[in-house]
Amino acid sequence: MRRWRLVLGGGEEADGTGRALTGRDAAMDRTLAALYGDGEDAGARPGPRSAGLGASAPGVARWLGDVRDCFPASVVQVMQRDAIDRLGLSALLAEPEMLEAVEADVHLAGTLISLGKAMPEESREAARAVVRKIVGELERRLAARTRATLTGALDRSARVRRPRHRDIDWNRTVRANLGNYLPEYRTVVPERLVGHGRASRAVRKDIVLCVDQSGSMAASVVYASVFAAVLASLRSLSTRLVVFDTSVVDLTDLLDDPVDVLFGTRLGGGTDINRALAYCQSRITRPAETVLVLVSDLHEGGIRGEMLKRVAAMRSAGVRFVTLLALSDEGAPAYDREHAAALAALGAPAFACTPDHFPEVMAAAVEKRPLPVPGE
């Protein structure tokens, strides 16, 4: 009955529960009513849903603090996102005191980035500090695994058949020659040697991340920027980051700092995938050693036929083409199914990818083996 009372809120709808709320429950009820209620007292007759926080920045700051006191972090993040949609919190996040009260997560980073130059000057440094905190947490979570997975894939892709003695991989060599076992001598004749090339600082693979920065892709832009910075730190990779809507921006020069990358994006606007791919194609010099990752929901506003011809041309030249409908922790995204099917027919299957799964996808692309598509 307590839970039903919290669900129903105040007014006549809750009368049948016979439950009065006190203490922490009452605080939770007030916090929920401010966001999801009718903006009136708990005992008032319910009316149409409307904002209960008003336009007062201090009031919103107190509400954000109450939310964090009453609910776990996962619920706080959901309520913050709802507040942005329902209460116009985007405008209030431009206030420095707001930023100190908000639970930092990927969606908040997307909101702050989307505010961009509309944010008052005095709030920009506070916003950068919040985004830097979010990016730092993501890097700690994702960087080590990404570097280890990609380094291993690069080493395996450099395997040679005539290695120097010091470079022989004996375990793989024995497994490759088990058919040559001589029982009388109790030994394996190593007819074929398997090993790795000598360590080299030369770039072995070119990676191009082409990321849709339309409004629906906010979380993907945040994750892609972090991954681009991590990939750029690997000496054996040459990494390029290109973001696009109806225009194209190359952010490669900013990859030393993913926060600079994020504030170099412009979330929102239309989508011209063909133009973005044309730019990326013009920068590819070693197609057989290039992996191009398109992160987009494929809602193309440009020339569809030209986009598909461009993908086909890059595939024919040897480029490994990967299409991610989303790079986020969200569920299955909304996307253009016709375009996804057309890309799959060209050998570039389109699928959503979580950040934790991304290193394995990139490793498979680098090694030119089948992509580990979720659900297959």
Side-chain angles (χ1 to χ4, degrees), residues 114 200 248 358:
S114 67
S200 170
V248 180
F358 184 75

Side-chain angles (χ1 to χ4, degrees), residues 112-233:
L112 295 177
I113 294 161
S114 67
L115 290 175
K117 294 181 180 178
M119 188 179 296
E121 187 65 36
E122 61 271 18
S123 297
R124 290 180 188 170
E125 285 307 309
R128 287 183 71 90
V130 172
V131 173
R132 188 169 297 281
K133 176 184 175 183
I134 295 168
V135 167
E137 292 174 353
L138 292 178
E139 284 188 305
R140 282 190 291 274
R141 168 186 158 192
L142 302 169
R145 181 181 176 192
T146 301
R147 291 192 183 102
T149 302
L150 267 294
T151 299
L154 288 164
D155 287 343
R156 290 188 293 273
S157 69
R159 193 175 303 141
V160 296
R161 297 302 180 187
R162 294 184 178 179
R164 297 169 182 263
H165 185 272
R166 71 183 69 181
D167 298 324
I168 295 174
D169 184 331
W170 289 108
N171 288 333
R172 290 182 179 274
T173 295
V174 169
R175 285 199 295 271
N177 290 277
L178 287 175
N180 300 327
Y181 179 68
L182 301 179
E184 61 272 27
Y185 294 103
R186 301 182 65 187
T187 189
V188 170
V189 177
E191 184 180 70
R192 180 164 65 89
L193 299 178
V194 180
H196 301 289
R198 300 184 71 179
S200 170
R201 293 189 178 184
V203 172
R204 295 207 286 269
K205 293 290 181 181
D206 297 333
I207 306 294
V208 181
L209 293 177
C210 185
V211 184
D212 185 342
Q213 62 175 352
S214 58
S216 60
M217 301 296 292
S220 296
V221 170
V222 175
Y223 279 119
S225 299
V226 172
F227 277 120
V230 173
L231 296 175
S233 70

Side-chain angles (χ1 to χ4, degrees), residues 29-151:
D29 190 59
R30 287 192 299 270
T31 304
L32 291 165
L35 178 57
Y36 301 110
D38 59 4
E40 301 175 18
D41 293 336
R45 185 181 185 86
R49 290 185 181 273
S50 61
L53 303 182
S56 166
V60 176
R62 285 194 296 272
W63 179 81
L64 290 168
D66 290 342
V67 168
R68 296 175 69 177
D69 289 338
C70 292
F71 301 97
S74 59
V75 177
V76 170
Q77 292 171 7
V78 171
M79 294 181 70
Q80 285 177 176
R81 291 200 294 273
D82 286 349
I84 289 168
D85 294 334
R86 296 169 60 87
L87 308 178
L89 190 57
S90 296
L92 296 175
L93 283 173
E95 301 292 336
E97 61 266 31
M98 296 296 95
L99 300 175
E100 298 175 1
V102 176
E103 187 79 20
D105 75 333
V106 170
H107 298 280
L108 174 62
T111 298
L112 295 177
I113 294 161
S114 67
L115 290 175
K117 294 181 180 178
M119 188 179 296
E121 187 65 36
E122 61 271 18
S123 297
R124 290 180 188 170
E125 285 307 309
R128 287 183 71 90
V130 172
V131 173
R132 188 169 297 281
K133 176 184 175 183
I134 295 168
V135 167
E137 292 174 353
L138 292 178
E139 284 188 305
R140 282 190 291 274
R141 168 186 158 192
L142 302 169
R145 181 181 176 192
T146 301
R147 291 192 183 102
T149 302
L150 267 294
T151 299

Side-chain angles (χ1 to χ4, degrees), residues 246 271-275 299-307 339:
T246 52
T271 308
D272 192 338
I273 302 172
N274 180 55
R275 175 177 291 186
H299 289 294
E300 171 68 316
I303 307 172
R304 176 182 183 271
E306 288 297 316
M307 177 192 79
H339 285 164

Side-chain angles (χ1 to χ4, degrees), residues 332-350:
Y335 64 95
D336 189 306
R337 296 181 181 275
E338 185 178 350
H339 285 164
L343 287 172
L346 294 173

